[in-house]
Amino acid sequence: MHLAYRILLPDGRLLSREADGSPIRLGRDPSCEIAVGEAECPMVSGLHARIESSNGGFLLVHESRSNKTLLNDAVIDVSRRIQAGDRLKLGYTGPTIEVISIEARPPAPQPGNEGAAALQTLQADSRHVALLRGSAGAKRIEIGTGGVIGRDPRCEFPLDHPHVSRAHARFVVRDGRVLLLDLGSSNGTFVNGQRLPKPRLLEVGDRIDIGPFSLCFDGTGLASRSRSNNAELSASRLKRVVRDVATAEPLTILDGISLVVRPQELVCILGPSGSGKSTLLAVLSGRLAPDEGAVDINGEDLYADFEALKADIAVVPQKDLLHASLTVEASLRYTAELRLPPDTARDEVDSLVDDVLEAVGLTERRGTAIRNLSGGHLKRASLANELLSRPSLLFLDEVTSGLDEQTDREVMSLLRDIADGGKTVVCVTHSLASVESACHLVVILTRGGRLAFVGTPAEAKQYFGVSRLGEVYAKLDERGPQEWDARFRASPQFQQYVTQRLPVETFNRNTPLRLVRPTGPPRPSFVRQTLVLIGRYASILRGDPQALIAIAAQGLLIAGLLGLVFGRLADVSQTEQRIQRSINLQLLLAISCFWFGANAASKELVKERAIFRHEHHLNLRVGAYFVSKLIVLAAISVVQAAALWTIVQVWCVLPGSALLQLLVLVVLAVAGTACGLLLSALARSEEVATALVPIVVIPQIILAGVVAPVTGAARWLAQGYVTVYWAQDALERLLPQADLALLGKSNTTWSLPVSVILAHAAVAALGTVVLLARTGRDAQ
């Protein structure tokens, strides 16, 4: 690794230096690689700090016992990774060291040392490096005459990350000014936290966010402070108040929470039920805004700049949000197609999927259906699904819930590996079996969402006077929440893990009371997302052959029964009886086709509600999701309707225009599908959705006008709300002219009832989209 930096001394002198991997000592001692005189820098210790190579980057290590070391104006206690654009300071009045660039320069293998070179290659292909490949922060960018910035290595300014489009944005230099324009990137270009809708002249100090790269414009170039595996999460004075359902009184569920989580740290949030663990996780991950307080990621306001930052944040919920009938590999591929830029090539997706499967230890299970995974492997698959886009911050809610002790240990060990690889990992858990061995710090909450402790597991046991972490919960009951809060604020751990870590700007700022959402149009392509979702849904159905057999059996069973009951209609000698039997058969065909659509669609949205909310929070478009469901389910219902009509037509020979009768039944099946999706969007559970289907279908039979004539209010209800009423009207108008004359009807107006059926379908579709959009907003 190669480090370039410059030193600004208090007397105004500016020194430029470089180093290649060897330790750099900083202090007053003349033997230090960076030595400063005592007269110029009295607050610098003899050996104040050092910079050393670590895990493919550089680490700043604090050494002084009497003076502070600051990184980007924040005091560090032990050590901290540094990136291009960072500012190091020895004491409050000492010299400032600006990191210009950090880049990889691997040594060439020496002749005759092929074994060592092979070992180095093998280590470079370890699962940590595979997971983090291409995540190194960019060096300082000199804009020069301008050019394209993007993922393609042929760009003038390449940035290697899945969330960066191949050609993401362009810098245009005119008359000494720099113009920035977005090139239709999938995830957007942001300036000072706002999406860039049109070209903009940059001003000195503007912050440009592209994927996980935060670039500060200084007039001629860009200093990069990549969040990629270098994300520090700072939270200050978080408070959240809700209304108690039982008493209708205000209920505080977070009260003055402050903490800092650094890169390469696995932090576990512990506490009794009702202490606000999941709420804190939602606030820290940007899923929920607090009433008071602030959350920053590398100094950027999470709530104000959420759209620019959210792609770098992954949340693994307690419930596994995977489709059971897909294989592990197929699930990851569809996730990649939905979340990554559309210009991501197939070989890039292959590489990402291979990397993440290796990272979570599922390479040998890649072809296994999700439903056939064990509990531990299922958790790994959920984790892989979120790691696919290489986020820098990972939040997990009760990820080990329901696992045995051995599997719990394996999952927690995996999370530790991920943190050691550079991620910032925050985990809520109630299982303490492996917390001590896996996590770096524990955050312990007490009732009312108050902070009772932050520190290492060993320090927590000493602080509470227990031999096992599990005994802490009993200790918390011995004092009130306010007492625990006050005691911790007076403790050395509060100073070490909260006060000294917390950046001054985060502590002094208060957040707005809501998350700031984008004002520009959504970036993901509607057509592309729809096609991907159709493909995924088709794969889900193919993976469940029993469901496909049941769908096929429905139509065959009903067709067979209708054929047996009605027989060949032409064999009926009496005209009035033949016409009535034809009308009855039409009704049963219409009810069956409507039921095909409504029944198949009634559970599809409600059973995927959690998945939809999760994906919509990232980038899933409501319209694309709805249309994909409507197309696939309507296609299935249309095939069922066509098969049913074909068998009945061959067996019974319905009089009248056969093709127009088929058209009416097909349109009715589509309307039934739209109605079923509306029921699914309304229902709170699959059981409720199932119960709603008869409530909708039975009135279709009663008010169709065949069982008994409908008049007065019944006729008004039928014409306004009963789709089969209009289908029956259309089918009757398609009977032969002689039969229609006996019924007193004409065959010239069948298109009007078909138009009403389509209108019913459109209203149901619109209602479903509105409900889905509301569901998506509720998730945010």
Side-chain angles (χ1 to χ4, degrees), residues 313-362:
I313 300 171
V315 178
V316 181
Q318 180 177 356
K319 183 179 179 181
D320 299 299
L321 304 181
L322 301 171
H323 294 92
S325 59
L326 291 179
T327 65
V328 173
E329 182 175 10
S331 180
L332 293 180
R333 288 189 180 279
Y334 283 119
T335 296
E337 290 187 46
L338 285 173
R339 298 185 188 178
L340 301 183
D343 58 12
T344 305
R346 181 61 181 266
D347 60 339
E348 291 181 280
V349 174
D350 291 342
S351 178
L352 285 168
V353 171
D354 290 343
D355 285 354
V356 79
L357 285 173
E358 183 181 359
V360 301
L362 285 180

Side-chain angles (χ1 to χ4, degrees), residues 6 10 59 190 198 220 293 319 399 420 479 484 499 612 616:
R6 58 189 175 191
L59 199 67
F190 296 83
K198 59 183 179 180
T220 60
K319 183 179 179 181
V399 72
D420 289 342
R479 305 186 185 192
W484 281 118
T499 304
F612 167 74
H616 178 65

